[in-house]
Amino acid sequence: MAVDEASLVSDRFNILRRLGEGGMGVVYEAFDARLQMKVALKTLRAASADLLYQFKNEFRSLAGLHHPNLITLYELFSEKGSWYFTMELVGGEDF
């Protein structure tokens, strides 16, 4: 099931804008009400078995790493058939 922007606007997350997209999904800037800060929210476009495995593997392989040159990953979510995770929001410029 593809992620619907409206379904992510809940008591916890308020989608502020779309930051970009790739082959696996879409990344949004969102406000996390529990953490009281802006985060990047990466969604999985479609939950096929292969893509879901890659998505979970990406999160799990990077979640424990801490380095000044890597973003911090926060939480992995599954809600209403949609998968997404939150991470540190880093400002930057478009190419």
Side-chain angles (χ1 to χ4, degrees), residues 23-92:
M24 197 180 303
V26 181
V27 179
Y28 300 94
E29 177 180 346
F31 182 78
D32 184 331
R34 187 186 319 162
L35 297 177
Q36 288 294 298
M37 65 184 202
K38 290 181 182 179
V39 296
L41 193 145
K42 182 174 184 176
T43 63
L44 181 62
R45 185 181 310 282
S48 72
D50 288 340
L51 282 178
L52 182 55
Y53 174 78
Q54 289 175 8
F55 191 76
K56 287 179 172 181
N57 198 37
E58 175 184 356
F59 179 83
R60 290 179 179 143
S61 65
L62 297 173
L65 297 178
H66 300 284
H67 187 276
N69 294 333
L70 297 175
I71 61 162
T72 301
L73 299 185
Y74 299 130
E75 296 178 72
L76 176 66
F77 297 90
S78 173
E79 187 175 320
K80 299 176 189 173
S82 297
W83 286 87
Y84 52 99
F85 62 79
T86 56
M87 60 190 143
E88 176 182 9
L89 179 66
V90 177

